[in-house]
Amino acid sequence: MTSKKSSPKKTLTPMLRQYLEVKAKHSDKILLFRMGDFYEIFFDDAAIAAKTLKITLTSRNKKNDDAVPMCGFPHHAATGYITSLVAAGHKVVVCDQVEDPKQAKGLVRREVTKIITPGVNLESENLTPDDDNFLAAVTCRQQKQTLFGLSLLDVSTGKFKVTELSDLESLLDELGRSRPTEILLSIPTDHRAEPWQEEIKDEFTRVHFTLRPGTDILTPEENRELLCRHFGTITLAGFGGDNLTAGLDAAGIALAYVQETQKQSNLHHIQSLEVYRNTSFMQIDRNVITNLELLCTIQERSKTGSLFGVLDCCQTSMGSRQLKEWLLFPLLDKDLIEQRLDAVEILLEEKRCRRELMSHLGKLYDLDRLAGRLASGRANGRDLLSLRDSLKLIPQIKELLAGLPLQPALINRALTGLHELKELSDTISETLLEEQPLSITEGRMIREGIDNQLDELRSISKNGKQWLIEYELKEKEKTGINALKVRFNRVFGYYIEVTRRHSEQVPAEYIRRQTLTNADRFITDELKAYEEKILGAEEKINLIEHRLFLALMERACRQLKEIRESAVRLTLFDVLCALAEVADRHRYCRPEIVSDRQLLEIEEGRHPVIEILSENFVPNTTTLDREKEQLWIITGPNMSGKSTFMRQNGLFALMAQMGSFVPAEKAKISIFDHIFTRVGASDNLGRGLSTFMVEMTETARILHQAGPESLIILDEIGRGTSTFDGLSLAWAIAEEIHENCGSLTLFATHYHELTELELIKERIANYNVAVQQRDDGITFLRRIIKGGTNHSYGIEVAKLAGIPDAVLTRAREILGNLEAAEISGGENLRMTGRSILSSRTNGLKSGYLPLLEPSPPTTEKRCDDKSAALKQLIKKQDLNRTTPIKALNILEKLQKMIRD
């Protein structure tokens, strides 16, 4: 977005020249220019804003050749319009009048007061309640090895995190977990992005990127000094950040950007820097978040139908945000997991207490974001009343939790950091009226009895109307003019209006101010003096109320630390109650966390989402154990429930490590360092990758990174290429996981040949989805049972999908011929597509197996062919390499040939 340059500067008004001077410093933003009661937008910005906001695009100097496009909206409605602009991906810069136009000598002085970007946003209307609004900054240091720095800063809550990562894939995963709305990238002065930066931009196409030229970036020493100065420390060791390099670069870039955009805002609510390692949590990459539908569904991208949608019984938006973080950052520390489970268990058992606690929590305001508004000076009277109401709930919450028969360590510790702040709460009640305006400069905020001067001025203002009534009566009596009126307008203030037919009765001391067609308007010294008193009182009232409110807000800001500590504790209680509530509603069990060996034992487990959506969900049992059954080969037709079964096991591991109960009768789960999923595949045309290439790239990453403490879920590996290539790859991948990775694995496949791995690999087991076959079709029983299957039921599934009967009949005929060809050796299966098509009308060429339209042979010929086929089948077998299961399959074919 650049300003229009076509108008010669000499033709522009001083105001427009002032506009262009500001715009030149913010060429990438839409400039809102305060003019009286409106924000006006000019030039190219006006065209963009009018289209985005669906408001009228007009122009100044319409009749001239140098007409200037413009649009605008009232200043009191700015929040809604700014929200729409930011939601559309635009940055907005607000330029306000910083002096009273009445006192200005010439052009009114204006300054930029704030800059709003997708990642730097303090207005609640612009934010999604249950999402953090992270601004991310990414840096890279090329030392002995590449090191990426990542910082995440949510200005609305003050949450500030930083980490370092050793490879690009880990960085992309961490960005995927954090879901920033804006990413800062430092680039050289020539604005050419590094290859790794292009990778980030290709991966996160919906995120707003801000490129920071090298000239705007601080040195490592300056970044460290900036952070220390903000936190009021001489070192970052207390945060665990003294040894960071690339991480501190990223943190410095983020903080400097926020300070630059929030020009008139304090950032006192950003009180600490959380240094974390991604190795402190279970690793969840972008595929896991998508494939397991943790936050939203794959198709509709809706919360409903996701795991988060099921678990989110939180009563506050800050609780929902925390639950989402627990979900995306499952713990690796057994003691911490058990502490969460202990707390959930006691709240599950104490239902009355839990429901009362949830009722109290439901009345809480979003204290996290309120703290941000307080610190930045953007809170209004309604915010302070919400703070008061929230603080008043804390004694009741403490009393409820203190009354629990058992005190889990997690709840007990949290109670000690819950601050009632009664004095602050009482001060707010004593100072503010219960009905508060949106603006803090319009008055009508402060109670009587708080300030003597304010009360006196209010009395003057209140009694002013009565004085004017009495003054009018007095003047009527004195002059004898019954039609005399005392009136007011913004131009002349208070005046006396007398009709023309009474003009001779007007006293000499009346001073004429205006002559109208039928009347004259006058003022008197007495009326003018009282006018100054009344209007001055109104102005002074607003000023005093504003001063008193700012003092109250400053009083609240002095206890920001305690407010934020209380918010953290209340958020914790909200999440624990939500997990207990969902466990109660859906009959979840407490998982037993095992540390002596790697296993996933689930008795009668249910998919937490599907069981709610399906009336007759069929539970299944899982017994993965690295010492016994490390890898399950799961066969069965499409739509039979293989994917649901595999996904639910991935969710069990994740839910257990976040501290949640799981939907099962019993669960024994070890701690997993990583969950890998390879489920489904699609082209990535933007990056030039085919379906098969995407599949192999993701599988390669799994094989390189998975270890003995990982959980792998693989669905249909190898299907993106030819049958023999795919089968070979799937076989080799399964062997690699079994022999070298050592990961617990669920491996679904249509390659029935893989079931033979059970015979040659000690920790591979075959399982299949039970199917009931009838004369008129099949029924999926959704039950996982021991053993493999060699039937895909593809034609039966096609029937369920609605494929026409004629097509199904023809498919069965072709399938029968293909199976016959396999029995006779398969040497004729290389028929080209052209020959197959032509055989329908012209007959088959010599040497090809009649797959499509075979001529019915005579009985004698059929017997000769059967005998030859039997001999050929037996003759071609290599008995030294035939496995027992293959021998049984051959015997079955021989029996079938003889019976037919």
Side-chain angles (χ1 to χ4, degrees), residues 317-329:
S317 51
M318 53 186 180
S320 296
R321 294 194 298 270
Q322 185 66 65
L323 175 66
K324 197 172 286 187
E325 183 171 318
W326 281 22
L327 185 59
L328 295 176
F329 292 84

mmCIF file of all heavy atoms in Angstrom, residues 317-329:
data_model
loop_
_atom_site.group_PDB
_atom_site.id
_atom_site.type_symbol
_atom_site.label_atom_id
_atom_site.label_comp_id
_atom_site.label_asym_id
_atom_site.label_seq_id
_atom_site.Cartn_x
_atom_site.Cartn_y
_atom_site.Cartn_z
ATOM 1 N N SER A 317 -12.581 -17.913 28.870
ATOM 2 C CA SER A 317 -11.774 -17.958 27.652
ATOM 3 C C SER A 317 -10.307 -18.201 27.983
ATOM 4 O O SER A 317 -9.583 -18.844 27.226
ATOM 5 C CB SER A 317 -11.943 -16.665 26.850
ATOM 6 O OG SER A 317 -11.728 -15.529 27.658
ATOM 7 N N MET A 318 -9.850 -17.699 29.136
ATOM 8 C CA MET A 318 -8.444 -17.953 29.498
ATOM 9 C C MET A 318 -8.251 -19.441 29.825
ATOM 10 O O MET A 318 -7.179 -20.002 29.580
ATOM 11 C CB MET A 318 -7.981 -17.049 30.643
ATOM 12 C CG MET A 318 -8.808 -17.040 31.881
ATOM 13 S SD MET A 318 -8.202 -15.764 33.047
ATOM 14 C CE MET A 318 -9.369 -15.977 34.397
ATOM 15 N N GLY A 319 -9.282 -20.107 30.358
ATOM 16 C CA GLY A 319 -9.202 -21.542 30.568
ATOM 17 C C GLY A 319 -9.126 -22.293 29.262
ATOM 18 O O GLY A 319 -8.345 -23.253 29.117
ATOM 19 N N SER A 320 -9.912 -21.878 28.276
ATOM 20 C CA SER A 320 -9.884 -22.527 26.956
ATOM 21 C C SER A 320 -8.512 -22.386 26.307
ATOM 22 O O SER A 320 -8.005 -23.329 25.688
ATOM 23 C CB SER A 320 -10.964 -21.931 26.049
ATOM 24 O OG SER A 320 -12.254 -22.199 26.553
ATOM 25 N N ARG A 321 -7.904 -21.216 26.447
ATOM 26 C CA ARG A 321 -6.567 -21.029 25.876
ATOM 27 C C ARG A 321 -5.553 -21.944 26.558
ATOM 28 O O ARG A 321 -4.678 -22.527 25.912
ATOM 29 C CB ARG A 321 -6.139 -19.557 26.015
ATOM 30 C CG ARG A 321 -6.973 -18.589 25.199
ATOM 31 C CD ARG A 321 -6.308 -17.217 25.086
ATOM 32 N NE ARG A 321 -6.134 -16.541 26.355
ATOM 33 C CZ ARG A 321 -7.013 -15.724 26.907
ATOM 34 N NH1 ARG A 321 -8.179 -15.494 26.303
ATOM 35 N NH2 ARG A 321 -6.758 -15.122 28.057
ATOM 36 N N GLN A 322 -5.663 -22.070 27.889
ATOM 37 C CA GLN A 322 -4.729 -22.925 28.624
ATOM 38 C C GLN A 322 -4.943 -24.396 28.280
ATOM 39 O O GLN A 322 -3.987 -25.151 28.130
ATOM 40 C CB GLN A 322 -4.901 -22.722 30.121
ATOM 41 C CG GLN A 322 -3.882 -23.480 30.975
ATOM 42 C CD GLN A 322 -2.471 -22.957 30.762
ATOM 43 O OE1 GLN A 322 -2.172 -21.818 31.084
ATOM 44 N NE2 GLN A 322 -1.615 -23.782 30.190
ATOM 45 N N LEU A 323 -6.178 -24.812 28.138
ATOM 46 C CA LEU A 323 -6.473 -26.193 27.759
ATOM 47 C C LEU A 323 -5.855 -26.515 26.404
ATOM 48 O O LEU A 323 -5.288 -27.594 26.199
ATOM 49 C CB LEU A 323 -7.991 -26.402 27.705
ATOM 50 C CG LEU A 323 -8.451 -27.775 27.199
ATOM 51 C CD1 LEU A 323 -8.046 -28.882 28.168
ATOM 52 C CD2 LEU A 323 -9.960 -27.788 26.972
ATOM 53 N N LYS A 324 -5.941 -25.578 25.489
ATOM 54 C CA LYS A 324 -5.355 -25.778 24.161
ATOM 55 C C LYS A 324 -3.845 -25.932 24.270
ATOM 56 O O LYS A 324 -3.241 -26.766 23.570
ATOM 57 C CB LYS A 324 -5.718 -24.585 23.262
ATOM 58 C CG LYS A 324 -5.543 -24.840 21.794
ATOM 59 C CD LYS A 324 -6.101 -23.680 20.977
ATOM 60 C CE LYS A 324 -7.605 -23.649 20.956
ATOM 61 N NZ LYS A 324 -8.164 -22.631 20.049
ATOM 62 N N GLU A 325 -3.224 -25.172 25.157
ATOM 63 C CA GLU A 325 -1.775 -25.305 25.342
ATOM 64 C C GLU A 325 -1.427 -26.666 25.945
ATOM 65 O O GLU A 325 -0.465 -27.305 25.524
ATOM 66 C CB GLU A 325 -1.257 -24.174 26.237
ATOM 67 C CG GLU A 325 0.264 -24.207 26.409
ATOM 68 C CD GLU A 325 0.796 -22.968 27.109
ATOM 69 O OE1 GLU A 325 0.336 -21.851 26.790
ATOM 70 O OE2 GLU A 325 1.664 -23.123 27.988
ATOM 71 N N TRP A 326 -2.191 -27.124 26.934
ATOM 72 C CA TRP A 326 -1.957 -28.465 27.501
ATOM 73 C C TRP A 326 -2.081 -29.532 26.419
ATOM 74 O O TRP A 326 -1.319 -30.497 26.382
ATOM 75 C CB TRP A 326 -2.980 -28.739 28.607
ATOM 76 C CG TRP A 326 -2.674 -28.087 29.909
ATOM 77 C CD1 TRP A 326 -1.880 -26.994 30.131
ATOM 78 C CD2 TRP A 326 -3.172 -28.476 31.197
ATOM 79 N NE1 TRP A 326 -1.857 -26.675 31.462
ATOM 80 C CE2 TRP A 326 -2.641 -27.565 32.145
ATOM 81 C CE3 TRP A 326 -4.018 -29.472 31.632
ATOM 82 C CZ2 TRP A 326 -2.922 -27.644 33.504
ATOM 83 C CZ3 TRP A 326 -4.317 -29.561 32.989
ATOM 84 C CH2 TRP A 326 -3.772 -28.656 33.908
ATOM 85 N N LEU A 327 -3.045 -29.340 25.545
ATOM 86 C CA LEU A 327 -3.316 -30.316 24.492
ATOM 87 C C LEU A 327 -2.158 -30.386 23.496
ATOM 88 O O LEU A 327 -1.807 -31.470 23.013
ATOM 89 C CB LEU A 327 -4.612 -29.920 23.768
ATOM 90 C CG LEU A 327 -5.179 -30.840 22.701
ATOM 91 C CD1 LEU A 327 -5.481 -32.208 23.274
ATOM 92 C CD2 LEU A 327 -6.439 -30.223 22.112
ATOM 93 N N LEU A 328 -1.550 -29.245 23.204
ATOM 94 C CA LEU A 328 -0.483 -29.200 22.197
ATOM 95 C C LEU A 328 0.903 -29.405 22.796
ATOM 96 O O LEU A 328 1.870 -29.605 22.061
ATOM 97 C CB LEU A 328 -0.522 -27.856 21.467
ATOM 98 C CG LEU A 328 -1.790 -27.608 20.641
ATOM 99 C CD1 LEU A 328 -1.758 -26.215 20.034
ATOM 100 C CD2 LEU A 328 -1.953 -28.649 19.553
ATOM 101 N N PHE A 329 1.007 -29.340 24.127
ATOM 102 C CA PHE A 329 2.297 -29.519 24.789
ATOM 103 C C PHE A 329 2.167 -30.562 25.908
ATOM 104 O O PHE A 329 2.316 -30.243 27.087
ATOM 105 C CB PHE A 329 2.801 -28.193 25.361
ATOM 106 C CG PHE A 329 3.191 -27.174 24.330
ATOM 107 C CD1 PHE A 329 2.238 -26.345 23.748
ATOM 108 C CD2 PHE A 329 4.507 -27.045 23.906
ATOM 109 C CE1 PHE A 329 2.576 -25.413 22.790
ATOM 110 C CE2 PHE A 329 4.861 -26.115 22.951
ATOM 111 C CZ PHE A 329 3.892 -25.298 22.385
#
